[in-house]
Amino acid sequence: MDTTLRGVGVSHGVAIGEVRHMGTAVLEPPAKQIAAGEAAREQGRARQAVDAVAADLTARGNLAGGEAQAVLEAQAMMAQDPELMADVERRIAVGSTAERAVYDAFASYRELLAGAGEYLAGRVADLDDVRNRIVARLLGVPMPGVPDSDRPYVLVARDLAPADTALLDPALVLGFVTEEGGPTSHSAILARALGVPAVVALPGAGELAEGTTVAVDGSTGEVFVNPSVGKKAQMESAAAERKAALAASTGPGATADGHKMPLLANVGGPADVPAAVEAGAEGVGLFRTEFLFLDDSKNAPSEDKQVEAYRQVLEAFPEGRVVVRVLDAGADKPLEFLTPADEPNPALGVRGLRTLLDHPDVLRTQLTALARAAEGLPVHLEVMAPMVADRADAKAFADACREAGLRAKFGAMVEIPSAALRARSILQEVEFLSLGTNDLAQYTFAADRQVGAVSRLQDPWQPALLDLVALSAEAAKAEGKSCGVCGEAASDPLLACVLTGLGVTSLSMGAASLPYVRATLAKYTLAQCERAAAAARAADSAAEARGAAQAVLSGE
């Protein structure tokens, strides 16, 4: 009889195969002392290893492109952090080996992150991965990472570092399961971009024996251990039906009774555009511009460089809608020339629009670049600000857009509960709202999106989060303006129906999710979606909300 485990499904699809575990982390180096005359040589070894790891992470990012590139370049900057390197060299100067100095310096920094609030604590997994890669290079042992195998398998790990997730080969890695992580963690986002079925936050995942056969349902979060022949056949049949439905679903997004619901793509740069176009995206609902700024944490990219990158994306959607988010720096995306280094809790400090208003020259250059990039193109450009808290924020952003001569719609992201509660006030200054459900959940429930222990509070099915979505959508409707969703919530086909029923006017997601959402929306009428939304909001938990919506849509 098969055993059923339940985690959080974060990437659609079914994977059936044998378990292979991620390579183990590097062992702690011995605490031996070096002779005084060896310090310079050990410091040189440490610098070479750090530079090599940073170069490897950057190269992996260049190969992966898109969102993965931005994540990996951020890790490369972490490896070369000057304060960390100075600490390593100080430890070597008093007798540590290069590998021990790296291990201890990263451990010290790790403690600072872990104690700096849940938002920054979510960066600990990335920091550990960088440390392990540097220490492995110094020790001359294989890098921790994806196992070698000539047969397809299901990858199981405590957590997956972005460097590993970004370059997974879908021909070999049928799916993956992790013990840590959440629905909006880096690994989850990259899994959706790759189209690899994935389940995260699965208790006891590490105890699955090597070679055990498992069946992974990336939609429900279920993992069946040693599934029966009947269970395998059932899951394979359901997967085949889903694939056929996806192939048959084309054209603009709409409900069964013709209510239009534009389906847009989230992109991190030009590299993500081909997949979005192939998936039939009707435009871009979230163009993250951070990738340009992460190339050099000490200097902003030139206006000309920005124009070139923006125009590549705008040209891909003639007559379509492209919504650009201006630079969202701060918190887990620090930039030396912008963000303070000594904030006690950066997630609640100067980030997003607050950072840009403190550096108006950076905002002005970006807005001017967007205006130039759109010149002569028929695209419908819309520009929005991240982390808008109130009407004053919205006005400051709209004023900056006008001063830059930007001919576009100006909008505000709803990521802070105050913005949802005062949406009508904010809409007096801007022309549209866009709900970033990842951060909105994080700030509503005080639950870091990277921490697996609080993943239930990051579930976009939480009724309190649905209430805030409804408030925003109702405010936009009352003002005759639009209100889209660009957070990962839109990538859940069932939740997409509920969001439609709540009154949102567009849905934006990773390209891999577009066919699933399009096919599911086409099965139900707007009235059914509205009833499902009402049932979900009446529930008391995320699980009950999903169940209630499912019951309504299935006619139970």
Side-chain angles (χ1 to χ4, degrees):
M1 182 176 177
D2 54 58
T3 301
T4 304
L5 304 177
R6 285 182 174 80
V8 178
V10 295
S11 185
H12 306 298
V14 168
I16 301 174
E18 293 184 356
V19 166
R20 293 286 181 273
H21 283 271
M22 179 67 85
T24 56
V26 176
L27 296 175
E28 182 177 345
K32 62 182 182 182
Q33 294 288 298
I34 59 171
E38 296 177 355
R41 179 178 65 85
E42 289 296 289
Q43 288 171 339
R45 287 182 64 227
R47 283 192 294 271
Q48 288 176 359
V50 164
D51 289 344
V53 167
D56 177 62
L57 290 168
T58 301
R60 285 169 177 256
N62 290 335
L63 282 173
E67 294 183 48
Q69 184 172 9
V71 171
L72 293 174
E73 286 177 349
Q75 269 198 299
M77 288 192 294
M78 185 182 285
Q80 295 179 303
D81 182 277
E83 291 186 19
L84 258 175
M85 197 62 224
D87 191 14
V88 169
E89 293 186 342
R90 280 195 297 270
R91 292 171 187 273
I92 292 173
V94 296
S96 285
T97 61
E99 48 268 36
R100 186 70 208 191
V102 167
Y103 188 90
D104 289 342
F106 272 74
S108 177
Y109 194 44
R110 188 185 198 279
E111 288 181 13
L112 288 175
L113 283 185
E118 289 188 349
Y119 200 94
L120 280 181
R123 303 273 63 77
V124 165
D126 291 0
L127 186 72
D128 287 347
D129 180 58
V130 172
R131 176 204 65 199
N132 291 345
R133 290 173 185 278
I134 297 171
V135 172
R137 184 169 288 275
L138 286 165
L139 291 174
V141 300
M143 291 284 179
V146 178
D148 290 328
S149 176
D150 55 3
R151 295 170 53 192
Y153 58 92
V154 173
L155 181 63
V156 176
R158 185 184 66 80
D159 202 354
L160 279 174
D164 296 314
T165 316
L167 296 181
L168 290 179
D169 182 356
L172 281 176
V173 181
L174 302 171
F176 67 73
V177 178
T178 67
E179 194 158 351
E180 296 293 326
T184 57
S185 65
H186 283 151
S187 292
I189 292 171
L190 295 176
R192 284 189 284 271
L194 287 167
V196 177
V199 172
V200 301
L202 183 81
E207 297 172 14
L208 291 168
E210 188 84 3
T212 302
T213 299
V214 294
V216 179
D217 190 325
S219 298
T220 65
E222 293 174 306
V223 175
F224 302 93
V225 184
N226 294 318
S228 64
V229 173
K231 172 59 72 175
K232 286 183 187 178
Q234 177 189 342
M235 293 183 72
E236 287 170 348
S237 174
E241 288 178 12
R242 187 181 299 165
K243 186 175 181 179
L246 294 179
S249 176
T250 58
T255 59
D257 56 340
H259 175 73
K260 294 186 184 304
M261 180 53 60
L263 301 181
L264 313 171
N266 294 344
V267 303
D272 290 340
V273 168
V277 172
E278 185 179 351
E282 297 169 59
V284 172
L286 173 62
F287 179 7
R288 302 179 178 95
T289 57
E290 291 77 53
F291 78 103
L292 273 173
F293 292 80
L294 290 171
D295 283 346
D296 180 355
S297 70
K298 296 181 180 179
N299 302 285
S302 69
E303 184 177 314
D304 287 343
K305 182 177 180 180
Q306 292 188 54
V307 171
E308 180 184 356
Y310 301 153
R311 195 169 179 90
Q312 288 182 57
V313 176
L314 297 177
E315 287 177 335
F317 296 94
E319 305 291 346
R321 177 186 178 204
V322 175
V323 184
V324 179
R325 180 178 70 190
V326 294
L327 175 63
D328 185 13
D332 64 335
K333 291 171 281 191
L335 294 170
E336 286 184 40
F337 68 95
L338 279 183
T339 47
D342 56 353
E343 283 190 306
N345 191 342
L348 300 179
V350 182
R351 63 166 296 199
L353 179 61
R354 299 167 188 174
T355 301
L356 293 175
L357 294 178
D358 279 354
H359 297 81
D361 54 325
V362 175
L363 177 58
R364 188 182 308 111
T365 298
Q366 184 170 27
L367 294 174
T368 303
L370 284 165
R372 286 178 55 199
E375 284 177 3
L377 297 179
V379 68
H380 300 286
L381 175 63
E382 302 185 12
V383 182
M384 61 186 182
M387 301 300 293
V388 171
D390 56 16
R391 182 172 179 173
D393 277 352
K395 184 179 187 306
F397 178 65
D399 287 346
C401 289
R402 293 187 191 97
E403 288 169 12
L406 189 61
R407 294 184 177 180
K409 286 187 175 181
F410 318 140
M413 292 198 70
V414 178
E415 300 168 287
I416 303 174
S418 64
L421 294 168
R422 300 289 295 172
R424 288 197 72 171
S425 173
I426 287 172
L427 283 165
Q428 305 311 304
E429 304 294 343
V430 294
E431 298 172 81
F432 69 93
L433 300 177
S434 184
L435 287 144
T437 53
N438 304 345
D439 270 326
L440 185 57
Q442 175 167 256
Y443 289 119
T444 298
F445 297 103
D448 191 315
R449 54 194 283 189
Q450 302 293 333
V451 178
V454 293
S455 62
R456 78 171 185 86
L457 295 172
Q458 265 292 332
D459 192 325
W461 281 94
Q462 285 284 355
L465 188 65
L466 298 181
D467 287 343
L468 293 175
V469 173
L471 274 176
S472 303
E474 289 163 4
K477 183 178 181 180
E479 295 295 329
K481 297 180 179 179
S482 62
C483 176
V485 171
C486 65
E488 293 299 318
S491 65
D492 179 335
L494 183 62
L495 186 51
C497 294
V498 167
L499 295 172
T500 299
L502 291 174
V504 305
T505 55
S506 66
L507 298 169
S508 189
M509 64 209 74
S513 298
L514 283 163
Y516 292 91
V517 172
R518 184 186 296 113
T520 304
L521 268 179
K523 292 163 58 177
Y524 304 109
T525 66
L526 177 60
Q528 286 176 298
C529 292
E530 289 172 342
R531 288 198 295 273
R537 288 185 68 189
D540 291 320
S541 70
E544 289 176 10
R546 173 182 275 277
Q550 182 69 67
V552 169
L553 293 177
S554 62
E556 295 176 9

